[in-house]
Amino acid sequence: MTNEPTPKAKSDSVIERMDSWLDERTGIDAILHESLDEPIHGGASWAYIFGSGLLFLFVSQVITGICLALYYVPSADHAHTVVSYIVKEVTAGSFIRSIHAYGSSGIIILLLLHIGQTILYGSYKGRRELLWLSGCILMALMLGMAFTGYLLPWDEKAYFATAVGTNLMAEVPWIGPVLQKLVRGGDQMGTLTLSRFFVLHVFVLPGLLIAFICAHVFFFRKAGAAGPIKEDPVHPKLPSVPFYPRQVAMDAIFAVVLIGILAVIAKTIPMDLAPAANPADTHFLPRPEWYYRPAFQWLKYLSGRWSLVGGIMLPALLALIFAAAPFLDRKLERRPWRRPISVGAFFIFLIAYTSLGIASYRDDYKDPSMAAQMHQQDADAKAFMNAPFVPEMAAGSLPSALTAADPKVAKGLVLFQAGSCNVCHGEAGIGTAIAGPLTGVAHKYTDPQLLALLHAPNDKMIHGGMTPTTLSPDDLEALTAYLNQLH
């Protein structure tokens, strides 16, 4: 009687052979051992989830960013239309864009929590200088990602907020004007600005982030987890517990919670899109995202001749002190109540930063005229989001047979070009960064209403740079006939 191996034994044997074959060629077992068996002094803790949460959000940003990049065109003529198409026409486009936009805010929130925990626990002590410095660089790169990505929709909010940020670069001593021109690609913001911000946001900054994430993880593994606050950061005494399985489970639960929160917010409060950027709109009030609001408010207090001190020198000094924390606070004591200077300085900064942000929002709605403008901008964004998508038309897309068959339309085309209407509204009324599209205007206004608007533009049109038309009634009728054909 022979002892035949059971099916389960055969299956295990096949799996073992496959694992052995793969390990001989990749060393996967050693990699998994290095990754999952990391010793954690004092055991797993919910206090260690923020770093893994940041890594998870970065991966989420990469995935959603790739989805958006499949459609995006970094051009002042097309960027806003493409983003509008993503939001209004692409399946789940608004949801993915909202996940990406809210994900950047989530990263900033987790960064603040991670930094606060590190300072409170004194986790930067004990031969962790390079770990701290790599974290500071990662924070600066994340803020750069948020700044460069904000411009890409090329709507009014993005345009004017970025204009304020790039204007601040001109305050840098000696190299300011050159730096501003380098970032913008010229004296004014346009397609070159968009393309440079796109390259920075999609290629340069993510590449640097990946490099410094790897360095940060390497330095963390080299120094080891700091452990509870009573632990000696150099010679820990508490027993170590492997990273897997408890800490992995905690990190996975936190990741699921994060994506759940982002999904609920993205579904219930989709990220809006304002009308296309109009550089001629002198009444628009630029406002940055919430995490840049305190700096924006600070610059309002130190403007004019103090802008160099308030906008460049003081932030640079604070950043230098922050980065030098492990070199300035060299005692191994980690208990926060025994470190009143470092912990107190962080909380003072946090209170000041929060107060400046609150003051910025309060000032916007304290002044009646400013509040009215802010409400109008919000209403314009909601109206644009609720309006149907209007596709671009290629220049000269109006059929030549149509203009040949109707002399009035042909005359209107000549008047449209002679009056330089195409300079602002684009050829065939497709719209530009200066003024919106005229395609489909016949569906919005009747002929008498269109004639009245040409003769006496409304306040919004005047703010955009349009002047009353001084054509004869016959010419106005011909121009109206041409505009009615722009579909």
Side-chain angles (χ1 to χ4, degrees):
M1 187 174 179
T2 59
N3 293 325
E4 291 290 337
T6 64
K8 184 178 185 303
K10 288 183 178 180
S11 176
D12 290 344
S13 178
V14 170
I15 293 174
E16 288 174 0
R17 288 201 301 269
M18 290 180 61
D19 178 71
S20 176
W21 183 90
L22 186 63
D23 182 54
E24 288 176 357
R25 288 155 179 80
T26 64
I28 187 68
D29 288 350
I31 295 173
L32 290 175
H33 171 73
E34 186 70 22
S35 302
L36 299 178
D37 294 338
E38 172 200 358
I40 301 177
H41 303 302
S45 172
W46 289 104
Y48 303 148
I49 60 176
F50 297 125
S52 299
L54 283 167
L55 181 60
F56 170 77
L57 282 184
F58 175 71
V59 173
S60 172
Q61 293 295 92
V62 170
I63 294 172
T64 53
I66 290 173
C67 294
L68 296 173
L70 293 175
Y71 295 91
Y72 188 74
V73 178
S75 164
D77 295 332
H78 307 298
H80 185 266
T81 303
V82 168
V83 177
S84 177
Y85 176 74
I86 292 172
V87 171
K88 298 181 180 182
E89 296 294 325
V90 175
T91 303
S94 178
F95 181 75
I96 292 174
R97 177 175 178 261
S98 298
I99 289 283
H100 192 75
Y102 287 123
S104 64
S105 293
I107 285 177
I108 301 301
I109 293 172
L110 280 189
L111 268 174
L112 291 174
L113 291 173
H114 191 46
I115 291 169
Q117 178 207 45
T118 302
I119 292 176
L120 195 64
Y121 278 44
S123 300
Y124 55 85
K125 295 172 175 286
R127 302 171 187 169
R128 288 176 171 82
E129 297 91 347
L130 293 179
L131 176 63
W132 174 261
L133 289 175
S134 63
C136 292
I137 295 173
L138 283 172
M139 181 177 67
L141 291 174
M142 284 293 188
L143 290 173
M145 285 286 288
F147 179 69
T148 53
Y150 194 66
L151 177 67
L152 300 186
W154 199 248
D155 59 357
E156 287 193 310
K157 294 190 302 181
Y159 179 89
F160 287 105
T162 306
V164 172
T166 52
N167 284 338
L168 183 61
M169 294 179 182
E171 301 292 337
V172 178
W174 302 298
I175 63 171
V178 176
L179 180 63
Q180 182 194 48
K181 193 170 183 178
L182 177 66
V183 171
R184 287 185 171 184
D187 295 325
Q188 302 298 324
M189 290 174 54
T191 295
L192 284 178
T193 315
L194 258 183
S195 63
R196 293 184 183 202
F197 273 57
F198 179 75
V199 169
L200 286 170
H201 188 73
V202 175
F203 298 106
V204 178
L205 293 178
L208 291 173
L209 274 168
I210 292 172
F212 278 98
I213 286 172
C214 293
H216 194 66
V217 172
F218 172 79
F219 292 137
F220 176 76
R221 290 298 182 90
K222 187 69 175 176
I229 57 175
K230 293 183 179 181
E231 274 283 80
D232 187 321
V234 179
H235 303 292
K237 299 177 181 178
L238 289 175
S240 298
V241 176
F243 180 72
Y244 177 85
R246 283 198 64 191
Q247 192 62 51
V248 170
M250 290 179 179
D251 291 346
I253 291 171
F254 186 54
V256 171
V257 171
L258 283 177
I259 197 62
I261 293 172
L262 284 177
V264 170
I265 297 175
K267 185 66 177 177
T268 55
I269 316 173
M271 182 62 63
D272 62 4
L273 180 68
N278 179 9
D281 187 355
T282 57
H283 293 78
F284 192 88
L285 295 176
R287 294 295 181 269
E289 276 292 286
W290 65 268
Y291 39 82
Y292 281 125
R293 278 276 194 148
F296 176 79
Q297 184 71 9
W298 175 254
L299 290 175
K300 288 164 64 176
Y301 296 147
L302 292 175
S303 58
R305 62 177 182 174
W306 294 103
S307 58
L308 173 61
V309 176
I312 302 297
M313 296 179 66
L314 187 57
L317 179 62
L318 289 175
L320 183 61
I321 294 173
F322 181 76
F327 303 96
L328 300 176
D329 184 11
R330 300 198 58 83
K331 292 183 179 180
L332 297 182
E333 176 62 60
R334 294 177 53 206
R335 287 169 289 187
W337 54 88
R338 297 282 185 89
R339 298 183 293 116
I341 296 178
S342 56
V343 174
F346 176 74
F347 277 104
I348 289 173
F349 171 80
L350 204 60
I351 292 170
Y353 196 77
T354 304
S355 300
L356 285 170
I358 294 172
S360 178
Y361 284 100
R362 181 198 62 201
D363 289 353
D364 281 348
Y365 296 96
K366 188 177 180 180
D367 185 339
S369 61
M370 189 176 292
Q373 178 63 25
M374 294 298 296
H375 286 305
Q376 182 60 50
Q377 290 173 191
D378 292 338
D380 290 343
K382 290 179 180 177
F384 180 83
M385 289 293 293
N386 293 328
F389 173 69
V390 178
E392 287 182 350
M393 294 183 67
S397 61
L398 189 67
S400 58
L402 181 61
T403 58
D406 191 338
K408 186 180 292 186
V409 173
K411 181 180 179 182
L413 172 58
V414 174
L415 292 169
F416 184 82
Q417 295 174 339
S420 298
C421 301
N422 57 332
V423 173
C424 293
H425 292 284
E427 295 297 335
I430 62 174
T432 66
I434 301 175
L438 296 175
T439 50
V441 71
H443 299 297
K444 299 179 182 179
Y445 305 104
T446 63
D447 284 356
Q449 289 173 331
L450 198 52
L451 284 168
L453 284 173
L454 289 171
H455 182 69
N458 59 33
D459 291 340
K460 185 176 181 180
M461 296 163 68
I462 292 174
H463 292 162
M466 183 171 174
T467 57
T469 305
T470 57
L471 298 175
S472 66
D474 289 342
D475 288 346
L476 277 174
E477 188 176 348
L479 183 56
T480 303
Y482 170 73
L483 294 177
N484 283 333
Q485 306 304 316
L486 298 178
H487 299 299

